[in-house]
């Protein structure tokens, strides 16, 4: 997994600088409302993105070993746009640097923080 981590470290800055294009019609921004977590909002242009709006949460797959906003960002953007919902992509620490259950706890903490700022529909 070391080579994959190095690859993601190289590609990630390019993704967030717009070099790897996200589908048009979706804004991507860091979710600063979720303290301590590395989460990103994917907001379709024209959707209600207020704290009162329905929200989809996406935690990328990869068995807590691989995957990130870089590898899943385009898919999440398309899902957000198709559903017409703002979508929170939850990032979490991965093994082997962060042994189990660290990744699971990161994802659960992000959802817990989200539930503090949005109502349940």
């Amino acid at each position: 997994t070391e080579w994959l981590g190095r690859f993601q470290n190289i590609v990630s800055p390019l993704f967030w600088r717009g070099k790897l294009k996200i589908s048009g019609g979706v804004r991507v921004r860091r979710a600063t409302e979720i303290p301590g977590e590395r989460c990103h909002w994917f907001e379709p242009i024209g959707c209600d993105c207020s704290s009162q709006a329905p929200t989809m949460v996406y935690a990328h797959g990869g068995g807590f070993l691989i995957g990130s906003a870089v590898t899943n960002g385009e898919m999440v953007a398309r899902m957000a746009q198709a559903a017409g919902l703002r979508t929170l992509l939850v990032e979490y620490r991965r093994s082997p640097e962060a042994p189990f259950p660290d990744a699971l706890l990161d994802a659960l903490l992000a959802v817990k923080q989200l539930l503090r700022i949005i109502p349940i529909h």
Side-chain angles (χ1 to χ4, degrees):
T1 60
E2 184 179 326
W3 68 270
L4 185 60
R6 279 186 275 154
F7 174 76
Q8 287 182 340
N9 288 340
I10 292 168
V11 173
S12 184
L14 297 175
F15 174 82
W16 294 116
R17 280 192 228 126
K19 302 286 187 204
L20 298 177
K21 192 168 173 84
I22 288 292
S23 291
V26 177
R27 283 186 305 268
V28 180
R29 66 177 179 86
R30 187 165 295 274
T32 56
E33 310 91 326
I34 313 292
E37 300 304 314
R38 297 177 309 163
C39 300
H40 300 88
W41 285 115
F42 287 72
E43 301 172 327
I45 306 297
C47 88
D48 177 9
C49 293
S50 70
S51 64
Q52 302 298 312
T55 300
M56 180 168 35
V57 177
Y58 182 87
H60 62 80
F64 301 129
L65 291 170
I66 60 173
S68 69
V70 173
T71 59
N72 291 271
E74 178 66 26
M75 179 181 63
V76 173
R78 289 174 188 247
M79 287 171 42
Q81 192 168 35
L85 297 173
R86 71 182 187 154
T87 301
L88 182 71
L89 184 140
V90 177
E91 292 248 39
Y92 48 78
R93 296 172 289 167
R94 296 179 299 271
S95 291
E97 293 83 10
F100 183 82
D102 290 352
L104 178 60
L105 294 174
D106 288 352
L108 292 173
L109 180 59
V111 172
K112 181 179 177 182
Q113 294 290 340
L114 180 64
L115 290 173
R116 288 184 179 172
I117 61 171
I118 65 167
I120 298 177
H121 294 280

